[in-house]
Amino acid sequence: QVQLVESGGGLVQAGGSLRLSCAASKITFRLNAMGWYQQAPGKQRELVAVITSGGSVNYADSVKGRFTISGDNAKNTVYLQMNSLKPEDTAVYYCNAKSPYFFGDGNAWGQGTQVTVSS
């Protein structure tokens, strides 16, 4: 069963930076895409950024110009560089991986990492 292990969350002041990492293990096939979602208290989980195995990227409008997603297909790893952080970026960030070989809807999720931005 695939495991997604996240790291890099924490507490930072507004204007600061954090880098999230996520590594997928226990898989023997290529992933279609990896990405990051955020979920703030009382809100639904929302896409932050996604990168496909071909290198195409997509960002939520709220993070364009501030966040950068990158990945390493060989290592099944994805990174999210978050700059110019704002208090409204505070949320639990979940790593996501997509593959038709996953059971169910083709999605796998990490356990989440907390990002807190103080004003």
Side-chain angles (χ1 to χ4, degrees):
Q1 183 176 356
V2 64
Q3 289 184 344
L4 301 181
V5 180
E6 302 140 334
S7 61
L11 172 65
V12 65
Q13 288 187 334
S17 298
L18 285 174
R19 186 174 189 246
L20 305 184
S21 300
C22 173
S25 62
K26 299 186 177 181
I27 58 174
T28 58
F29 46 84
R30 192 173 191 180
L31 298 169
N32 286 5
M34 294 187 76
W36 294 93
Y37 288 69
Q38 65 178 195
Q39 187 166 18
K43 295 187 177 181
Q44 290 187 333
R45 192 173 297 186
E46 298 178 335
L47 174 70
V48 176
V50 62
I51 184 168
T52 69
S53 59
S56 297
V57 298
N58 190 37
Y59 295 96
D61 288 342
S62 60
V63 306
K64 286 180 180 177
R66 300 188 298 122
F67 292 8
T68 302
I69 191 169
S70 59
D72 185 331
N73 287 337
K75 297 181 179 179
N76 289 318
T77 301
V78 65
Y79 308 95
L80 185 67
Q81 179 65 43
M82 304 186 293
N83 298 330
S84 302
L85 282 160
K86 304 176 181 180
E88 51 263 44
D89 295 320
T90 295
V92 177
Y93 284 70
Y94 294 91
C95 179
N96 169 267
K98 299 184 187 298
S99 170
Y101 298 108
F102 292 155
F103 292 117
D105 63 2
N107 287 289
W109 296 93
Q111 79 282 1
T113 185
Q114 177 70 46
V115 170
T116 303
V117 184
S118 63
S119 57

